[in-house]
Amino acid sequence: MTDRAIRNLAHLRRSASTARVLNLLKIFTDHGQEADWAERPLFQTHALNRALIIKHRLRRDETDSFYVRRQVATKVVIPLDPHELKTGGRYVFVGQRGYERMMQEAFGVTAGHRDLITLNLLDSLPSLDPFLLREQLKRAGLEPAPCYFSISESDLQRMGRFVEDEIRPLVTLCIGPDLEAVGSTQRLAGKIMSNDPRDRMEALRETLRLEPDDYQEGVFCWKGFLYYKWLLTSLRAEAASVADEVQSVRPIGKVDRDARAWLDRGRAVLRDRIIETCNEAGSTLAVYDRAYAGLTHEGRPVDFRDFLLNAPRLFARLGDQLGAIQHVVSFWRFRFSRGASPVGVEELIDIFMDFETGLASRKSDDLSSRMAA
């Protein structure tokens, strides 16, 4: 590992999980003495259950490690010394060339092992956001202890109310604007948020003329869109606040001319990219809003049918966008919290570089524009 990677790994020792990082080492430190952690582990292999799982944006020299070209990979980091992360760690990318052989040699897990299945499930998600992580695992019949998911009951309740408000037009379309519809709204919201295969809402599936597998995958992504839409409402304000703080943060120590020029450039670029990425996420969500309005207000179920068929690709794009913003906000709040140690010049440059890479402009997927048309 490079010096920069080691420094960033050391920061993760103290920080909680984010949309980009699942810090199983910290979860072990905080909850390892609890019976629930031991009885319902995320991974059965001890080393994996103390690893750092990172959604890693691949560098140019890393893309050849995969059979299929990709921009983001799931990186599994095993610290060499759990108590001193500055010593670095060994890592492997999920799905890289020779992946199964490496996992067998390092951890003794073979093809079909539950831990490999779990890693593949994590790799299929656009981010490690705790809500989506929990839903993905439940969908596969895996229910680790709650300590692995840093989403509070109050957040789940607030999201439940948001989903009820969001689907009220669908309930009204089905049964009319009856005051008693609130019970139906709650029941339908419960079905959408459920992972019970019996709650497939067959009437809606038949209306949309979707095959069961397409419908099940589409509803999972629909659930993700609803979560991201709820999340973006609060994330915008926090992201704007961080964008402002980026302009004013100053490192301690002497700053030479080159470092000052780099930081000045970084401030301008980061502010623009934070705002731009929030706007891109809003545009992706607008595709869902238009399709849903076509179903509920304009009597065009085909619009929502097309949305559900294309939802997995849009969902991945949206997860990438919001995951990058969540990482910036959560890490900034961690590193620059009250009582945190002052930041030096080299570390601030590292942070800016990390954020800039995560928020790097992507070639636009024309799927959104085609669906809008």
Side-chain angles (χ1 to χ4, degrees), residues 343-354:
V343 64
V345 178
E346 192 174 8
E347 183 185 351
L348 188 59
I349 290 176
D350 282 347
I351 292 171
F352 279 16
M353 289 178 65
D354 177 44

Side-chain angles (χ1 to χ4, degrees), residues 26-88:
K26 189 173 192 304
I27 291 172
F28 165 67
T29 301
D30 294 344
H31 303 279
Q33 302 303 314
E34 299 172 8
D36 213 20
W37 179 91
E39 294 168 3
R40 299 165 59 191
L42 179 61
F43 293 104
Q44 296 175 341
T45 307
H46 291 300
L48 289 176
N49 214 36
R50 294 165 176 77
L52 300 169
I53 313 295
I54 303 169
K55 286 294 181 180
H56 173 83
R57 188 163 295 281
L58 294 170
R59 305 178 184 91
R60 290 182 181 179
D61 61 336
E62 294 172 331
T63 56
D64 290 340
S65 298
F66 297 85
Y67 296 104
V68 178
R69 184 170 180 81
R70 55 192 301 180
Q71 291 183 318
V72 177
T74 305
K75 188 176 188 178
V76 182
V77 181
I78 308 296
L80 294 176
D81 182 349
H83 305 290
E84 186 54 76
L85 293 190
K86 289 183 179 180
T87 59

Side-chain angles (χ1 to χ4, degrees), residues 61 253 283 355:
D61 61 336
S283 297
F355 288 174

